[in-house]
């Protein structure tokens, strides 16, 4: 009976701890006041998405008030960065930035060490840049004249609506890129040891160059298969810009969208 009561007491404590209310911070900003975002995080998960609203909204959900990020606003730039880079495994922080659907900032630059970056349905007038050390990056339906995505060991998955130039680089994570429209200037996808998958629409207009040292290259659109140490050149459309894909030891696959 005593053991049963002890077990019940521990269970109740565990339930109470798991049901503890998270700390939430929320702030809004007029769209006319912000044109640039500079975000530097360590372990926090970052979500950027559009919504039907008239103001920029930031929400922070965390279980440790000491881990809440610092937010500063000066000269039309919103700076959001980790306040404390030392965190425990149990620490949890989720940052959500909601942008009005009709709003486009000039620059969004976000970096993280271990956290996730996820952006969807956003448009930028100049530069959209995401950088991660070990966290994955997911960018769905994004538009920017200059798009740059880099991760050391995380996964990259992106759907590009519109861009002049893009550079997507990974050291060891899988890379998946869906081009909903073709770039207007030279672009590249580089991966050191992971695979690369490229999805192209029917009206794609690029001059594709693909190269892998130890993997294989498969073009499911033109039904072509090449093995390692072969360079694959294939035009899609007429007079399009060059798109270079390179990986040392991963497979490269070209797919219809």
């Amino acid at each position: 009976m005593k053991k049963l009561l002890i077990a019940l007491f521990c269970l109740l404590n565990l339930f109470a701890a798991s049901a503890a209310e998270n700390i939430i911070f929320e702030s809004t900003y007029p769209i006319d006041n912000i044109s640039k975002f500079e975000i530097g995080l360590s372990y926090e998960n970052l979500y950027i998405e559009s919504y039907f609203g008239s103001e920029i909204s930031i929400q922070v959900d965390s279980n440790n008030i000491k881990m809440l990020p610092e937010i500063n606003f000066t000269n039309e730039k919103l700076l959001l960065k980790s306040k404390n880079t030392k965190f425990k495994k149990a620490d949890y922080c989720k940052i959500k930035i909601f942008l009005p659907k009709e709003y486009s900032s000039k620059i969004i630059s976000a970096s993280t060490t271990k956290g996730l970056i996820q952006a969807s349905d956003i448009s930028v007038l100049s530069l959209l840049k995401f950088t991660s050390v070990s966290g994955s990056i997911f960018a769905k339906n994004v538009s920017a004249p200059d798009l740059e995505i880099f991760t050391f060991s995380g996964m990259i998955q992106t759907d590009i609506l519109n861009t002049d130039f893009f550079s997507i680089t990974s050291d060891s994570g899988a890379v998946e890129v869906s081009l909903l429209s073709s770039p207007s200037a030279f672009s590249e996808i580089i991966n050191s040891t992971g695979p690369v998958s490229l999805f192209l629409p029917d009206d794609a207009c690029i001059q594709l160059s693909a190269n892998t040292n130890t993997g294989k290259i498969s073009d499911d659109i033109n039904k072509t298969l090449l093995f390692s140490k072969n360079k694959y050149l294939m035009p899609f459309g007429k007079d399009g810009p060059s798109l270079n894909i390179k990986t040392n030891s991963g497979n490269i696959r070209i797919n219809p969208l």
Side-chain angles (χ1 to χ4, degrees), residues 109-164:
S109 177
S111 65
T112 180
T113 303
K114 294 186 177 181
L116 166 80
I117 297 178
Q118 181 172 304
S120 58
D121 303 315
I122 61 171
S123 176
V124 176
L125 298 176
S126 181
L127 170 65
L128 178 60
K129 184 176 182 178
F130 293 142
T131 305
S132 171
V133 176
S134 60
S136 294
I137 299 173
F138 301 97
K140 182 179 180 181
N141 296 338
V142 294
S143 298
D146 186 353
L147 174 64
E148 300 176 22
I149 300 177
F150 169 82
T151 181
F152 187 77
S153 61
M155 176 184 181
I156 295 176
Q157 188 177 64
T158 180
D159 300 340
I160 302 174
L161 282 177
N162 187 26
T163 184
D164 293 336

Side-chain angles (χ1 to χ4, degrees), residues 161-164 179-184 200-201 203-206 241:
L161 282 177
N162 187 26
T163 184
D164 293 336
L179 282 184
L180 305 182
S181 66
S182 302
S184 56
L200 295 175
D203 60 351
C205 187
I206 58 169

